[in-house]
Amino acid sequence: MEDGAESSSEVQTVSSDVPKTPNQELKKLLSFKVYKRRWFVLLVLCLLNCSNATIWLTFAPVADKSAKFLNVTLEEINWLSLVYMVVAIPLSFGTTWMLDTLGLRITLILGAWLNMFGGLVRFFGKFEEPQYTIPYSAVMVGQTLGAIAQPLIIFTPTKLAALWFPDHQRATANMIASMSNPLGLLLANIISPLIVQTSTQIPTLLIAYAAPACFICFLATVGIRSSSPPTPPSASAESSGSEPFVQGIKLLLRNKAYLVLLLCFGSGVAVFTCFSTLLQQILCVQGYTNDFAGICGALFIVFGIVGAAVLGLYVDKTKKFTEAIKINMSFTALSCIAFSLVSLLPHQKAAVAAVCSLLGFFGFSIYPVAMELSVECSYPVGEATSAGLVFVSGQVQCVLYILLLQALTKRLADSPLSTCGGEVLSWKVPMLVMAGLLSFFTCCFVIFFHTPYRRLLAEEEATYGTKKTSVSTVSESVPSMET
């Protein structure tokens, strides 16, 4: 690919050596363009995704102090995170329709405004000597607004990558946008314990998360001028979301490979959400502090971002989506088993931190690649629909998992090492169950998931008028382009 400057708009023209006898119906697709402003749209999405994640996980790293400030139980604090999963489930279908029908711009701007109002509403309270008090109901309303915004934001990476980026940058763009969500979780795990040394500092924490949301809302509203570029960057971008929403759902329900991905990867999303939500409560039983739990959460996400960067670049180059996910899911299951064991041991900070790092490195890196794979195995269904339903599956399973894991906990009468600050619960059985569930669904995915890469094959056929018959070596048939 060579950069070509245009006076009216900053454009890069994609040129490649193509046969002289292309498919005549799609001859217009032989010249594609990529626009420099795609990086600004990606930046806004990343900032918005990051902000929404910090609002989501504001209270989990400081659950005990949050419960004291709001005068509620730990279970009610868990619901401040769980509401994101509950709200996202019914709204997700509307979001996928909105992205594929109304477009990227309207969806992102609406998500930005909802996210901003969610961050601001949480601060509504009153001064009662000697401190500023905020009712639990106001916090829940704010969390609910943020939860409504989440699917509008988190379903967008695959759509953005398909509409604005060429085929050899899609997985990387998806990785960058998707990993901004765990980056927000990382910031929440660091900032929340850092600011909240005592329960009275919760209002300060809420301001710290609301201010960036306002700035990002301004950027989205003013800066995003269109849903897609004037000229598509690839053949598939021209027909992005070509299947009607209802027809797309029907096609997905008849796609066996997609259903396996929907169930198995959805289980992985659920396990990682449970891990992020419950980490502090699990570790405090054995005497680990909130600060250490925050460090473990940070390592979990930092190594996840590193793993995602490596895997995203690898998959963009080789197109080996299936192999990469199967290998990483297997190592993720082993890491989850290891965590379920070491988290029960006191005075093992190095082991706990190491396992959290491995769990993040292998587990988080799967997410953006799996979102791309959901599009590849379901094309020509719209990207928002195919990737969005995978996310919905994860949310549904997460609600079930958290309720199941909480039900399996047992109250401990005596726990001399505990730093939980309130009631002490045993997480031994829940952690073993969680590891078992992830291992089971990993085995199912490794054994039963097989698919052609439909989008890559369609792009090749559109460009060259030919179609490879080998699905396992489709990456070898995709022409390479250099920027």
Side-chain angles (χ1 to χ4, degrees):
M1 186 185 306
E2 298 178 354
D3 291 345
E6 294 188 2
S7 58
S8 59
S9 60
E10 294 180 320
V11 180
Q12 297 170 336
T13 302
V14 180
S15 60
S16 58
D17 294 331
V18 296
K20 295 182 180 180
T21 59
N23 186 326
Q24 294 301 316
E25 292 182 359
L26 296 164
K27 187 176 181 179
K28 63 179 181 178
L29 299 179
L30 294 177
S31 179
F32 308 124
K33 295 177 182 177
V34 290
Y35 294 74
K36 290 182 179 180
R37 69 173 180 267
R38 73 191 187 275
W39 297 111
F40 175 79
V41 180
L42 179 62
L43 173 64
V44 172
L45 174 58
C46 289
L47 292 174
L48 188 54
N49 211 347
C50 183
S51 173
N52 187 257
T54 58
I55 291 176
W56 170 23
L57 208 69
T58 298
F59 304 99
V62 287
D64 51 348
K65 294 180 176 66
S66 299
K68 182 178 179 181
F69 177 81
L70 297 172
N71 195 28
V72 294
T73 64
L74 282 175
E75 185 174 351
E76 288 173 295
I77 293 297
N78 288 341
W79 272 102
L80 293 175
S81 298
L82 194 59
V83 68
Y84 270 68
M85 279 68 82
V86 175
V87 170
I89 293 167
L91 293 180
S92 294
F93 294 98
T95 299
T96 56
W97 171 85
M98 190 174 183
L99 264 171
D100 286 333
T101 306
L102 300 182
L104 188 71
R105 179 176 181 270
I106 293 176
T107 304
L108 272 182
I109 291 176
L110 178 59
W113 279 88
L114 286 169
N115 185 65
M116 180 186 70
F117 283 127
L120 293 174
V121 167
R122 300 189 306 171
F123 188 71
F124 287 174
K126 58 183 178 180
F127 282 102
E128 290 183 356
E129 293 297 337
Q131 64 180 13
Y132 185 78
T133 62
I134 301 173
Y136 178 78
S137 58
V139 176
M140 179 58 79
V141 170
Q143 292 293 106
T144 303
L145 289 174
I148 296 172
Q150 187 188 51
L152 299 173
I153 300 165
I154 211 166
F155 287 12
T156 307
T158 52
K159 191 72 173 179
L160 173 65
L163 290 176
W164 285 89
F165 288 83
D167 61 343
H168 68 288
Q169 292 181 348
R170 279 197 301 249
T172 301
N174 198 348
M175 177 272 297
I176 294 171
S178 298
M179 286 301 100
S180 60
N181 183 268
L183 178 60
L185 302 181
L186 167 63
L187 293 175
N189 275 291
I190 295 174
I191 295 173
S192 290
L194 188 64
I195 293 179
V196 181
Q197 301 298 322
T198 64
S199 61
T200 58
Q201 294 171 311
I202 292 292
T204 305
L205 180 67
L206 300 183
I207 294 176
Y209 290 142
C214 296
F215 174 71
I216 296 165
C217 181
F218 171 79
L219 284 181
T221 304
V222 175
I224 301 178
R225 294 174 290 173
S226 62
S227 294
S228 59
T231 304
S234 66
S236 63
E238 180 75 8
S239 59
S240 178
S242 60
E243 288 294 333
F245 177 72
V246 176
Q247 180 63 22
I249 295 292
K250 292 179 179 178
L251 289 174
L252 293 178
L253 294 178
R254 294 197 297 265
N255 188 325
K256 293 181 180 180
Y258 180 81
L259 292 177
V260 172
L261 179 67
L262 183 77
L263 183 62
C264 296
F265 180 68
S267 177
V269 172
V271 167
F272 275 74
T273 305
C274 290
F275 180 89
S276 299
T277 303
L278 302 172
L279 180 60
Q280 183 267 338
Q281 298 173 50
I282 295 168
L283 295 180
C284 71
V285 178
Q286 299 301 331
Y288 299 110
T289 64
N290 283 359
D291 289 339
F292 178 72
I295 291 172
C296 288
L299 290 171
F300 174 66
I301 296 167
V302 166
F303 277 86
I305 294 173
V306 172
V310 173
L311 195 64
L313 292 171
Y314 172 78
V315 170
D316 251 341
K317 183 177 180 180
T318 65
K319 308 301 179 186
K320 294 184 178 179
F321 298 93
T322 302
E323 297 87 342
I325 293 180
K326 286 184 176 182
I327 292 172
N328 273 40
M329 281 191 72
S330 300
F331 281 111
T332 301
L334 293 174
S335 300
C336 190
I337 293 171
F339 178 78
S340 68
L341 298 176
V342 299
S343 64
L344 304 175
L345 305 174
H347 312 303
Q348 297 295 327
K349 287 186 175 182
V352 173
V355 171
C356 288
S357 301
L358 290 174
L359 191 58
F361 183 82
F362 292 114
F364 256 126
S365 59
I366 298 173
Y367 183 83
V369 178
M371 292 295 102
E372 283 292 300
L373 182 59
S374 71
V375 177
E376 291 292 343
C377 76
S378 62
Y379 186 84
V381 177
E383 297 86 3
T385 303
S386 55
L389 289 185
V390 173
F391 177 79
V392 173
S393 173
Q395 300 295 72
V396 172
Q397 293 185 64
C398 180
V399 173
L400 297 176
Y401 284 12
I402 287 184
L403 295 176
L404 173 64
L405 297 180
Q406 287 184 333
L408 292 174
T409 59
K410 292 183 178 180
R411 185 169 298 176
L412 296 176
D414 182 35
S415 181
L417 297 175
S418 173
T419 59
C420 296
E423 62 179 356
V424 182
L425 303 175
S426 171
W427 290 90
K428 180 178 180 179
V429 174
M431 286 299 95
L432 294 174
V433 170
M434 185 174 76
L437 287 169
L438 183 59
S439 299
F440 172 75
F441 283 108
T442 296
C443 291
C444 290
F445 183 83
V446 171
I447 295 170
F448 297 113
F449 184 83
H450 305 282
T451 184
Y453 300 151
R454 302 175 190 272
R455 182 171 62 177
L456 290 175
L457 290 172
E459 286 181 334
E460 181 187 343
E461 185 179 20
T463 304
Y464 299 105
T466 59
K467 188 174 182 179
K468 296 287 183 180
T469 56
S470 173
V471 301
S472 62
T473 60
V474 66
S475 60
E476 298 176 5
S477 65
V478 178
S480 61
M481 300 181 187
E482 296 181 357
T483 302

